[in-house]
Amino acid sequence: MAPRANWKGFLRLSLVTCPVALYPATSESEKISFNQLNRQTGHRIKYLKVDADTGDEVPNEDIVKGYQLEKDQFIEVTKEELEEIALESTRTIEIDEFVDKAEIDPRYLIRPYYIRPDGKVGHDAFAVIRETIREMNKVAIGRVVLTNREHIIALEPMDKGLVGTLLRYPYEVRSEQEYFDDIQDVKVTKDMLDLARHIVNQKAGLFEPEKFEDHYESALIELINQKRAGKPIVPKDRPKGENVVDLMDALRKSVGGAAKTEAPKKPAKKTKKAAAAQKEMLMPIAGKKPAKEAAAKKPTAGARRKSA
């Protein structure tokens, strides 16, 4: 099934315009999710909207938004008033400027989207915009209206398409000073730094996301499979943390430990096996098949329900 676009409109750089579609680049749908149940009946829990004081259920047409000034004091805002100030979408991503990627503080990054031409026309203009950004080795900063709000979006080329990452506004980012001001100023000696660098060099590698395993997700799958099979659930021993008394001694022991457990020169094969192993663990639960296999086969009747 073809992915569904979250937004369709136009991408514009000065007088160059092309129709584009925007798709979510990430998904949480493959993670294990739970429903809340009534332990006595096994039925799902249903939430009702009730008046906090009377306890009476309130129909949707009688529910309005309110901004709290202080306790029990609200300013009521109607749907019509919100619609009046809502930004009218121009259905256009306007590119305003180009910046170096290193200048974008990672705290401002929200979520990524894939952007591609929409339909059979406009591919030439899209390619011109994409290759201009790639050639200049810059990030294009633009504006887009989603759900009545204007968002800042950073555009980068990826393969034949673009990745657009929504950015936060400055008022959404907390100052680091209120968290870091109380950190003590500590003198780090050259010997400590040398030992720490040695540990880092021994653990140096390439960023390969396919080798990452979600251990909690794997544990959830194992738990569910055991309960489905009627096996007893036995609590596992948890490792106990150790207090570091001598930092230099801990660094020296870390260097020795890292040398003993140094990874082989060719980790790629093992990372693929590790990723494949987790996929095999996912198989017992319906709906957890790899994307290619899921596309080739229709889901079974026992597919796992998603939470409401």
Side-chain angles (χ1 to χ4, degrees):
M1 184 176 179
R4 182 179 177 182
N6 271 29
W7 180 92
K8 289 187 177 184
F10 296 90
L11 175 63
R12 182 158 63 197
L13 173 59
S14 189
L15 298 179
V16 181
T17 305
C18 60
V20 295
L22 186 147
Y23 302 84
T26 60
S27 172
E28 298 281 321
S29 63
E30 288 302 309
K31 286 188 174 181
I32 294 289
S33 58
F34 294 100
N35 294 298
Q36 291 187 320
L37 307 176
N38 182 339
R39 180 181 293 178
Q40 303 299 325
T41 64
H43 300 158
R44 289 178 61 180
I45 297 298
K46 180 181 178 182
Y47 288 95
L48 301 176
K49 296 179 180 180
V50 300
D51 187 298
D53 290 336
T54 66
D56 297 332
E57 185 176 356
V58 182
N60 286 334
E61 59 269 21
D62 290 338
I63 297 177
V64 296
K65 295 181 182 294
Y67 177 80
Q68 185 172 1
L69 292 176
E70 51 188 73
K71 187 177 180 181
D72 298 329
Q73 185 178 356
F74 299 86
I75 292 180
E76 183 179 310
V77 181
T78 67
K79 180 180 178 182
E80 292 73 24
E81 289 170 335
L82 290 174
E83 289 176 348
E84 185 68 25
I85 66 168
L87 291 176
E88 188 70 29
S89 175
T90 60
R91 309 306 296 174
T92 302
I93 299 176
E94 299 273 2
I95 296 179
D96 296 326
E97 60 180 344
F98 295 85
V99 303
D100 292 330
K101 185 174 182 179
E103 294 180 358
I104 301 178
D105 189 324
R107 293 177 297 175
Y108 284 80
L109 304 178
I110 301 179
R111 58 181 173 275
Y113 290 89
Y114 293 137
I115 300 174
R116 72 180 190 190
D118 184 31
K120 297 181 179 180
V121 298
H123 286 248
D124 291 345
F126 183 86
V128 168
I129 296 174
R130 180 195 65 214
E131 293 309 310
T132 300
I133 301 172
R134 195 194 308 272
E135 180 69 21
M136 297 183 66
N137 195 26
K138 296 281 188 178
V139 176
I141 303 297
R143 292 167 288 120
V144 60
V145 175
L146 300 173
T147 60
N148 299 330
R149 278 183 174 267
E150 186 176 63
H151 298 267
I152 308 301
I153 188 168
L155 305 173
E156 299 177 75
M158 174 178 280
D159 195 21
K160 295 190 293 183
L162 291 170
V163 173
T165 304
L166 295 188
L167 303 179
R168 294 181 173 90
Y169 287 100
Y171 70 84
E172 297 178 279
V173 178
R174 292 175 175 174
S175 170
E176 73 282 0
Q177 293 180 355
E178 57 184 305
Y179 303 97
F180 296 165
D181 279 354
D182 292 337
I183 298 177
Q184 297 178 9
D185 293 325
V186 177
K187 173 80 173 173
V188 180
T189 67
K190 182 179 181 302
D191 289 342
M192 289 183 176
L193 282 176
D194 288 342
L195 287 170
R197 287 194 194 100
H198 188 67
I199 296 170
V200 171
N201 289 331
Q202 287 180 321
K203 292 180 175 290
L206 299 176
F207 180 69
E208 298 173 318
E210 63 272 9
K211 72 183 178 183
F212 299 153
E213 179 184 346
D214 188 337
H215 295 286
Y216 181 71
E217 186 80 357
S218 299
L220 281 177
I221 293 165
E222 182 182 358
L223 172 66
I224 292 171
N225 286 335
Q226 286 181 339
K227 293 182 77 70
R228 288 175 68 187
K231 296 180 180 179
I233 306 301
V234 180
K236 296 180 180 179
D237 293 333
R238 293 183 176 271
K240 297 180 179 179
E242 297 180 2
N243 293 326
V244 177
V245 179
D246 189 326
L247 184 56
M248 279 295 294
D249 186 52
L251 286 168
R252 291 192 185 98
K253 288 181 179 179
S254 296
V255 169
K260 293 179 183 178
T261 60
E262 188 174 357
K265 295 295 182 182
K266 297 180 179 180
K269 292 183 179 179
K270 287 196 173 184
T271 58
K272 289 181 180 178
K273 288 181 180 179
Q278 186 166 17
K279 289 183 179 179
E280 289 175 4
M281 291 174 64
L282 296 173
M283 294 302 293
I285 296 182
K288 287 290 182 178
K289 297 182 180 179
K292 291 183 179 179
E293 186 176 346
K297 297 181 181 180
K298 295 181 178 179
T300 61
R304 171 172 57 84
R305 293 185 302 175
K306 296 183 181 296
S307 60

